[in-house]
Amino acid sequence: MNAMSTSTDAGQERKAPGRPRNAQADEAILEAVLELLNEGQSAAAVSIEAVAARAGVGKATIYRRWPNKEALLADAVRAMKGPLPELAGVSVRDDLIALIQANRTPRARQYGNVTACLLPEIIKDEALGRMHRAVIEPRREVMREVLRRGITTGELRADLDIELTQLMLSGPSMVQSMLRLQDLVPDENFAEKIVDAVLRGAAA
């Protein structure tokens, strides 16, 4: 896979003046990428031609919006994950539960195979790894801020390892989605159970 473009307009349509961007086409293109990945295709195997055919658009329509396949993949993963919730900022427990639930939306679970298909390539391909980190790092930073706030307010231990705690909170949800262990660990109240289990060791 070619190195990712660092252009500031990555993921934005390069359009002629006055030509409106078609949100419906954007959605169809991103859905096509996710469908192909969810069906088991690797990121390397997903081609612009295949995406265009699945979305019912021309290749030129895709290239007007995304400068390369890496930028398109990044936006597709962002679309799969969806927006982060508005956090109340009152209770560390409540905010952590909201963040974990935001990664377990019906849409994210609909495309549960995407992460599993991307993971081996993320490990091997530096460009794809950078793309994935660029997508998830803002979400990770929000959780860091919640944990830092908990230390400041005294809800969490002063010596808390923020990075390790973040891994303990986010890792189980990914494993549950990829390995489908719902029979062993039911989905009901999953986020609450994870947060409470971690907080038993992290709470002040």
Side-chain angles (χ1 to χ4, degrees):
M1 183 175 293
N2 295 330
M4 282 182 61
S5 168
T6 56
S7 171
T8 57
D9 68 349
Q12 296 180 352
E13 180 182 12
R14 295 176 293 175
K15 59 180 187 284
R19 181 177 181 178
R21 181 161 179 164
N22 186 330
Q24 188 174 6
D26 290 1
E27 184 178 348
I29 292 165
L30 295 175
E31 289 291 329
V33 175
L34 292 174
E35 287 173 4
L36 291 168
L37 290 170
N38 202 50
E39 290 168 5
Q41 289 198 32
S42 66
V46 172
S47 66
I48 296 298
E49 290 81 2
V51 173
R54 179 67 65 97
V57 301
K59 289 196 298 182
T61 301
I62 296 176
Y63 281 120
R64 279 197 299 269
R65 291 156 167 78
W66 292 276
N68 51 45
K69 189 172 75 171
E70 288 79 10
L72 175 57
L73 285 170
D75 276 358
V77 174
R78 287 190 187 96
M80 177 185 71
K81 289 183 175 296
L84 283 167
E86 291 289 335
L87 301 178
V90 177
S91 162
V92 166
R93 178 182 183 272
D94 290 348
D95 285 353
L96 292 176
I97 289 171
L99 289 173
I100 292 175
Q101 288 175 333
N103 287 326
R104 297 175 59 77
T105 62
R107 179 178 176 79
R109 293 161 84 175
Q110 175 187 355
Y111 292 116
N113 289 335
V114 171
T115 301
C117 290
L118 287 176
L119 194 57
E121 296 177 276
I122 289 169
I123 294 171
K124 293 184 295 184
D125 189 304
E126 290 185 9
L128 195 59
R130 287 195 299 272
M131 177 276 289
H132 189 254
R133 287 191 294 274
V135 171
I136 67 170
E137 186 56 29
R139 307 175 79 88
R140 289 168 56 83
E141 183 58 25
V142 171
M143 185 173 284
R144 288 189 191 101
E145 287 298 325
V146 172
L147 296 173
R148 292 186 191 115
R149 190 188 81 224
I151 294 173
T152 300
T153 61
E155 292 173 80
L156 303 177
R157 290 165 38 188
D159 62 346
L160 185 70
D161 186 323
I162 288 177
E163 293 301 325
L164 182 59
T165 303
Q166 183 175 233
L167 282 175
M168 290 190 292
L169 286 164
S170 58
S173 186
M174 180 184 294
V175 172
Q176 177 83 327
S177 297
M178 290 194 300
L179 300 184
R180 294 180 175 87
L181 300 175
Q182 287 84 353
D183 290 343
L184 299 174
V185 183
D187 280 336
E188 186 177 2
N189 299 322
F190 181 86
E192 290 87 342
K193 291 175 182 176
I194 291 297
V195 171
D196 288 341
V198 173
L199 288 184
R200 278 195 285 272

